[in-house]
C-alpha cells in the first residue's frame, strides 16, 4: 500500500506544482507575459547571434503563445489532479485495475513533460535562443521541472502488484 500511496502523492505534488504555475501566470499575467514577450522577440540574446530571423514581432502572437502555454499548464494540473483522484479511489483495487487507472495521471505527467521539455527547452531554449539571454533564460528551471516530472512518470508506470 505504501508504494501506491507514494505514487498518488507524487502525482498530486506535480498537480499542485502545475496548478501554482498556471495560477501565477493567470494572476500575474503582465509580469510573466514579459518573459514570453522577450523570448519570442529574441531581443536579449547575443547581439551577434545569426538566428534573430526567427524572432516573432507580433504582440498578438505573443499573447496567443502565452495563453496557449497557460492552457497547457492548466490542463496538466487538471489531468494530474484527476489522475491522482482516480488512483486514490482505486488504491485498494486489484493490481490490474489499479494499473489501468493510471492512464489519466500518465497523460497529465506526459503533457507536463512536453510543456517544459518541448515548449521551454526545445522551442524557447533552442529555437528562440533563450539560453543566450542573461535576463530571460528559463532553460535551467524548465530542466528541473521536466526532469522531476519525468522521474514521477517513470515511477508511476512501474506495474503495481497485488496488495
Amino acid at each position: 500500500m505504501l508504494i501506491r500511496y507514494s505514487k498518488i502523492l507524487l502525482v498530486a505534488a506535480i498537480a499542485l506544482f502545475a496548478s501554482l504555475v498556471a495560477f501565477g501566470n493567470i494572476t500575474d499575467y503582465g509580469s510573466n507575459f514579459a518573459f514570453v514577450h522577450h523570448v519570442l522577440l529574441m531581443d536579449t540574446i547575443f547581439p551577434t547571434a545569426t538566428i534573430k530571423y526567427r524572432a516573432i514581432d507580433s504582440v498578438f502572437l505573443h499573447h496567443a503563445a502565452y495563453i496557449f502555454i497557460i492552457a497547457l499548464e492548466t490542463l496538466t494540473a487538471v489531468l494530474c489532479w484527476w489522475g491522482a483522484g482516480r488512483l486514490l479511489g482505486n488504491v485498494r483495487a486489484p493490481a490490474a485495475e489499479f494499473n489501468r487507472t493510471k492512464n489519466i495521471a500518465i497523460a497529465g505527467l506526459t503533457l507536463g513533460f512536453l510543456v517544459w521539455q518541448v515548449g521551454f527547452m526545445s522551442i524557447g531554449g533552442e529555437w528562440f535562443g533563450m539560453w543566450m539571454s542573461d535576463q530571460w533564460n528559463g532553460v535551467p528551471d524548465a530542466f528541473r521541472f521536466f526532469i522531476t516530472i519525468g522521474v514521477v512518470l517513470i515511477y508511476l508506470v512501474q506495474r503495481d502488484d497485488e496488495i
Side-chain angles (χ1 to χ4, degrees):
M1 290 295 293
L2 180 61
I3 291 174
R4 288 186 182 190
Y5 281 117
S6 170
K7 289 178 179 184
I8 293 164
L9 287 171
L10 292 182
V11 171
I14 300 299
L16 176 62
F17 169 75
S19 296
L20 294 173
V21 170
F23 180 78
N25 285 339
I26 293 166
T27 60
D28 192 14
Y29 187 94
S31 295
N32 294 302
F33 172 75
F35 174 85
V36 173
H37 175 71
H38 287 288
V39 168
L40 296 179
L41 274 179
M42 300 175 73
D43 60 347
T44 62
I45 67 170
F46 300 157
T48 58
T50 60
I51 63 169
K52 288 186 180 184
Y53 69 91
R54 300 174 186 172
I56 296 174
D57 295 329
S58 168
V59 176
F60 172 80
L61 290 178
H62 297 175
H63 283 286
Y66 187 43
I67 290 167
F68 183 63
I69 290 166
I70 293 170
L72 292 177
E73 293 166 346
T74 302
L75 184 56
T76 297
V78 168
L79 289 171
C80 287
W81 283 123
W82 181 15
R86 285 189 65 202
L87 290 169
L88 185 60
N90 288 285
V91 72
R92 296 189 181 280
E97 187 175 338
F98 184 78
N99 286 318
R100 274 193 305 274
T101 63
K102 293 177 180 180
N103 60 347
I104 300 297
I106 291 169
L109 293 169
T110 300
L111 179 58
F113 180 91
L114 293 172
V115 167
W116 281 283
Q117 198 288 322
V118 174
F120 287 89
M121 288 287 293
S122 298
I123 296 172
E126 290 304 317
W127 183 256
F128 289 105
M130 181 172 60
W131 66 271
M132 291 185 241
S133 175
D134 289 333
Q135 186 176 3
W136 302 106
N137 181 5
V139 171
D141 293 326
F143 180 78
R144 283 195 314 271
F145 300 161
F146 83 76
I147 289 297
T148 303
I149 293 168
V151 168
V152 173
L153 179 59
I154 291 167
Y155 180 49
L156 176 66
V157 299
Q158 302 302 306
R159 299 205 71 57
D160 286 83
D161 296 326
E162 296 299 333
I163 50 175

